[in-house]
Amino acid sequence: MKKSGFAKFPKLTYATIQHGLLKVLVERKVGRNGLAVMNALCSCIYANGKLGVASSERIQEITGLNAVQVMHGIKELRDKEIVHTVTRKLKSGAMKADRSMPGHVAQYEFTRDVWARIELESDSKAE
């Protein structure tokens, strides 16, 4: 077998922050809690810009932050308009922002301007 020289990590044990997203985080001066939370959320990003659902406990486990620090990190990412909650359609047909409550974890997605700055593989092939 040929050795590649690259490290192979177990699935779902690491996250990648794309350069476009990293530039946004730096430009908007995201602090250490927001950066750590963003890193944890980046372990699962869907093709439409939605982030995988992660509980506060899971983010704490990944980052080493406590519950209050995770809450501050998410609030910072929302306040700096990097992510916002996913809009859900209720049975009545009304649209409502997903929100955290006991026993439930909100799902976030990148805002449109941030998602536009994240380069996707299909974008780079078009050049």
Side-chain angles (χ1 to χ4, degrees), residues 65-85:
L65 300 175
N66 63 39
V68 173
Q69 290 170 318
V70 170
M71 180 187 68
H72 285 296
I74 289 175
K75 183 178 182 323
E76 181 179 22
L77 294 171
R78 290 177 68 183
D79 290 349
K80 296 193 178 200
E81 297 180 354
I82 294 168
V83 298
H84 59 89
T85 54

Side-chain angles (χ1 to χ4, degrees), residues 96-109:
K96 187 174 183 182
D98 192 8
R99 58 190 173 99
S100 294
M101 60 185 101
H104 181 264
V105 180
Q107 184 175 16
Y108 295 94
E109 63 186 343

